[in-house]
Short mmCIF file of all heavy atoms in Angstrom, two decimals:
data_model
loop_
_atom_site.label_atom_id
_atom_site.label_comp_id
_atom_site.label_asym_id
_atom_site.label_seq_id
_atom_site.Cartn_x
_atom_site.Cartn_y
_atom_site.Cartn_z
N ILE A 215 -8.20 -7.45 14.18
CA ILE A 215 -7.92 -8.43 13.17
C ILE A 215 -8.60 -9.77 13.54
O ILE A 215 -9.09 -10.40 12.58
CB ILE A 215 -6.33 -8.65 13.09
CG1 ILE A 215 -5.66 -7.37 12.71
CG2 ILE A 215 -6.02 -9.71 12.05
CD1 ILE A 215 -4.16 -7.42 12.81
N VAL A 216 -8.57 -10.14 14.83
CA VAL A 216 -9.26 -11.34 15.21
C VAL A 216 -10.77 -11.35 14.84
O VAL A 216 -11.28 -12.37 14.29
CB VAL A 216 -9.04 -11.64 16.73
CG1 VAL A 216 -9.93 -12.78 17.16
CG2 VAL A 216 -7.58 -11.97 16.97
N LEU A 217 -11.39 -10.25 15.11
CA LEU A 217 -12.80 -10.12 14.74
C LEU A 217 -13.03 -10.21 13.27
O LEU A 217 -14.01 -10.90 12.78
CB LEU A 217 -13.43 -8.86 15.31
CG LEU A 217 -13.50 -8.76 16.78
CD1 LEU A 217 -13.97 -7.37 17.24
CD2 LEU A 217 -14.45 -9.79 17.36
N LEU A 218 -12.11 -9.55 12.50
CA LEU A 218 -12.29 -9.52 11.02
C LEU A 218 -12.08 -10.96 10.48
O LEU A 218 -12.85 -11.46 9.66
CB LEU A 218 -11.25 -8.58 10.48
CG LEU A 218 -11.23 -8.46 8.87
CD1 LEU A 218 -12.55 -7.90 8.32
CD2 LEU A 218 -10.02 -7.56 8.52
N VAL A 219 -10.97 -11.57 10.94
CA VAL A 219 -10.74 -12.93 10.38
C VAL A 219 -11.78 -13.94 10.86
O VAL A 219 -12.19 -14.86 10.13
CB VAL A 219 -9.28 -13.38 10.88
CG1 VAL A 219 -9.08 -14.81 10.66
CG2 VAL A 219 -8.23 -12.49 10.29
N GLY A 220 -12.24 -13.78 12.18
CA GLY A 220 -13.22 -14.66 12.65
C GLY A 220 -14.55 -14.58 11.83
O GLY A 220 -15.18 -15.58 11.49
N ALA A 221 -14.92 -13.32 11.44
CA ALA A 221 -16.15 -13.13 10.65
C ALA A 221 -15.96 -13.86 9.26
O ALA A 221 -16.93 -14.48 8.79
CB ALA A 221 -16.44 -11.63 10.44
N VAL A 222 -14.76 -13.72 8.70
CA VAL A 222 -14.48 -14.41 7.37
C VAL A 222 -14.67 -15.89 7.56
O VAL A 222 -15.29 -16.55 6.71
CB VAL A 222 -13.12 -13.99 6.90
CG1 VAL A 222 -12.67 -14.82 5.62
CG2 VAL A 222 -13.15 -12.47 6.49
N PHE A 223 -14.05 -16.48 8.62
CA PHE A 223 -14.07 -17.89 8.76
C PHE A 223 -15.57 -18.35 9.01
O PHE A 223 -15.96 -19.41 8.56
CB PHE A 223 -13.17 -18.36 9.91
CG PHE A 223 -11.84 -18.71 9.54
CD1 PHE A 223 -10.92 -17.65 9.34
CD2 PHE A 223 -11.43 -19.96 9.16
CE1 PHE A 223 -9.60 -17.94 8.97
CE2 PHE A 223 -10.19 -20.23 8.85
CZ PHE A 223 -9.20 -19.26 8.67
N VAL A 224 -16.28 -17.65 9.80
CA VAL A 224 -17.68 -18.04 10.10
C VAL A 224 -18.51 -18.01 8.79
O VAL A 224 -19.31 -18.92 8.51
CB VAL A 224 -18.34 -17.11 11.18
CG1 VAL A 224 -19.84 -17.28 11.27
CG2 VAL A 224 -17.65 -17.35 12.49
N ALA A 225 -18.38 -16.92 8.00
CA ALA A 225 -19.15 -16.81 6.73
C ALA A 225 -18.69 -17.95 5.81
O ALA A 225 -19.60 -18.56 5.15
CB ALA A 225 -18.88 -15.46 6.09
N TYR A 226 -17.46 -18.23 5.71
CA TYR A 226 -17.01 -19.25 4.76
C TYR A 226 -17.54 -20.62 5.31
O TYR A 226 -17.93 -21.47 4.43
CB TYR A 226 -15.52 -19.27 4.61
CG TYR A 226 -14.97 -20.32 3.69
CD1 TYR A 226 -14.99 -20.05 2.31
CD2 TYR A 226 -14.36 -21.40 4.13
CE1 TYR A 226 -14.49 -21.00 1.44
CE2 TYR A 226 -13.87 -22.39 3.28
CZ TYR A 226 -13.95 -22.22 1.87
OH TYR A 226 -13.45 -23.13 1.03
N GLY A 227 -17.39 -20.87 6.56
CA GLY A 227 -17.90 -22.07 7.11
C GLY A 227 -19.38 -22.36 6.88
O GLY A 227 -19.80 -23.45 6.63
N ALA A 228 -20.15 -21.21 6.99
CA ALA A 228 -21.53 -21.38 6.74
C ALA A 228 -21.87 -21.86 5.30
O ALA A 228 -22.82 -22.60 5.04
CB ALA A 228 -22.30 -20.10 7.06
N VAL A 229 -21.05 -21.40 4.33
CA VAL A 229 -21.24 -21.75 2.99
C VAL A 229 -20.70 -23.15 2.62
O VAL A 229 -21.34 -23.97 1.97
CB VAL A 229 -20.60 -20.67 2.01
CG1 VAL A 229 -20.63 -21.15 0.53
CG2 VAL A 229 -21.26 -19.33 2.23
N VAL A 230 -19.48 -23.46 3.21
CA VAL A 230 -18.86 -24.69 2.77
C VAL A 230 -19.45 -25.90 3.46
O VAL A 230 -19.19 -27.03 3.06
CB VAL A 230 -17.36 -24.60 3.17
CG1 VAL A 230 -17.11 -24.96 4.65
CG2 VAL A 230 -16.47 -25.44 2.24
N LEU A 231 -20.28 -25.74 4.42
CA LEU A 231 -20.95 -26.86 5.13
C LEU A 231 -22.36 -27.07 4.53
O LEU A 231 -23.11 -27.95 5.06
CB LEU A 231 -21.07 -26.62 6.61
CG LEU A 231 -19.64 -26.54 7.26
CD1 LEU A 231 -19.77 -26.27 8.77
CD2 LEU A 231 -18.85 -27.84 7.08
N LEU A 232 -22.79 -26.26 3.54
CA LEU A 232 -24.06 -26.50 2.99
C LEU A 232 -24.07 -27.75 2.01
O LEU A 232 -23.02 -28.24 1.64
CB LEU A 232 -24.48 -25.29 2.05
CG LEU A 232 -24.77 -24.01 2.90
CD1 LEU A 232 -24.97 -22.81 1.93
CD2 LEU A 232 -25.99 -24.10 3.81
N PRO A 233 -25.25 -28.20 1.61
CA PRO A 233 -25.26 -29.49 0.83
C PRO A 233 -24.62 -29.22 -0.57
O PRO A 233 -24.35 -28.04 -0.95
CB PRO A 233 -26.76 -29.73 0.67
CG PRO A 233 -27.46 -28.99 1.77
CD PRO A 233 -26.57 -27.83 2.07
N ASP A 234 -24.42 -30.27 -1.26
CA ASP A 234 -23.68 -30.29 -2.53
C ASP A 234 -24.13 -29.30 -3.60
O ASP A 234 -23.27 -28.58 -4.13
CB ASP A 234 -23.71 -31.75 -3.09
CG ASP A 234 -22.82 -31.85 -4.37
OD1 ASP A 234 -22.16 -30.87 -4.70
OD2 ASP A 234 -22.82 -32.94 -4.94
N PRO A 235 -25.41 -29.18 -3.91
CA PRO A 235 -25.71 -28.26 -4.99
C PRO A 235 -25.31 -26.88 -4.69
O PRO A 235 -25.06 -26.11 -5.69
CB PRO A 235 -27.27 -28.41 -5.06
CG PRO A 235 -27.58 -29.69 -4.38
CD PRO A 235 -26.56 -29.85 -3.34
N VAL A 236 -25.32 -26.43 -3.51
CA VAL A 236 -25.05 -25.04 -3.11
C VAL A 236 -23.52 -24.88 -2.84
O VAL A 236 -22.90 -23.80 -3.14
CB VAL A 236 -25.81 -24.58 -1.94
CG1 VAL A 236 -25.59 -23.10 -1.61
CG2 VAL A 236 -27.29 -24.83 -2.10
N ASN A 237 -22.87 -25.96 -2.37
CA ASN A 237 -21.48 -25.92 -1.94
C ASN A 237 -20.56 -26.52 -3.01
O ASN A 237 -20.57 -27.81 -3.12
CB ASN A 237 -21.31 -26.66 -0.56
CG ASN A 237 -19.85 -26.72 -0.19
OD1 ASN A 237 -19.00 -25.98 -0.68
ND2 ASN A 237 -19.59 -27.74 0.69
N PRO A 238 -19.89 -25.74 -3.78
CA PRO A 238 -19.04 -26.35 -4.83
C PRO A 238 -17.86 -27.12 -4.32
O PRO A 238 -17.40 -28.05 -4.97
CB PRO A 238 -18.54 -25.08 -5.58
CG PRO A 238 -18.66 -23.96 -4.67
CD PRO A 238 -19.78 -24.29 -3.77
#
Side-chain angles (χ1 to χ4, degrees):
I215 300 173
V216 170
L217 291 174
L218 178 64
V219 172
V222 170
F223 270 85
V224 169
Y226 182 78
V229 173
V230 85
L231 297 178
L232 292 173
D234 183 6
V236 184
N237 174 20

